[in-house]
Amino acid sequence: MNMMIFSVAVSALVFPIIGKCCDMVDPKKTVPFAFFFRAMTTYLFSTLDSPDSIRSYGVCVLMILSSIIENISVDSIFNKNLPKETRGVLMGLYSCAGQFGILCFSLIAGSLFDNVGAHSPFVFLGILDFMFALITIAFGFKYDFSSQ
């Protein structure tokens, strides 16, 4: 419980700073950084031996921060580029797709946990984040986000 309170407190302080950085820095840099950062923290999470160690607290906070950076960097791109006429509908579809992705990941991660091991969902998430970061760099965001 203490770890969750600490993580939420740190996250609450960092949200506005991350949002400001995402406004100032080109998404071509923030999105790959966010996904590489979370890939690194999920790897660190998979190496923990004790859930109540100081290292666990640090890794938990880093993982939550990396998820926040990832969400804000992607959400800010999406929100900046939506036409006003359809913004509500598109945000609803975006949220629905996100929830469907969470459902699919939960089913796959649960199966991995049961059949492979306790660390396997974190390794799986880290691999997905790493692959997505590579894809964003490889395709290079063919859209110019700075023109909005």
Side-chain angles (χ1 to χ4, degrees), residues 1-95:
M1 184 66 155
N2 289 336
M3 186 181 304
M4 183 57 77
I5 293 169
F6 181 72
S7 297
V8 169
V10 169
S11 300
L13 295 172
V14 174
F15 263 118
I17 296 167
I18 294 170
K20 183 68 174 167
C21 289
C22 286
D23 284 340
M24 294 171 36
V25 179
D26 186 0
K28 292 177 187 177
K29 296 176 184 169
T30 59
V31 173
F33 168 77
F35 281 88
F36 278 131
F37 184 42
R38 194 166 83 164
M40 181 197 69
T41 61
T42 54
Y43 168 76
L44 290 174
F45 205 84
S46 72
T47 65
L48 295 175
D49 294 326
S50 172
D52 59 351
S53 68
I54 297 293
R55 184 169 179 252
S56 295
Y57 277 84
V59 170
C60 182
V61 170
L62 285 174
M63 189 170 189
I64 290 171
L65 289 175
S66 66
S67 295
I68 290 169
I69 294 170
E70 195 174 271
N71 288 335
I72 292 176
S73 64
V74 172
D75 289 352
S76 66
I77 293 170
F78 193 72
N79 288 326
K80 287 178 191 176
N81 293 289
L82 291 177
K84 289 182 182 180
E85 302 79 28
T86 58
R87 186 171 291 158
V89 171
L90 292 174
M91 285 302 298
L93 288 172
Y94 176 70
S95 295

Side-chain angles (χ1 to χ4, degrees), residues 45 105-106 138:
F45 205 84
F105 176 77
S106 298

Side-chain angles (χ1 to χ4, degrees), residues 26-28 77-78 80-81 141-148:
D26 186 0
K28 292 177 187 177
I77 293 170
F78 193 72
K80 287 178 191 176
N81 293 289
F141 289 115
K142 299 193 188 251
Y143 184 79
D144 182 17
F145 295 105
S146 62
S147 65
Q148 297 295 321

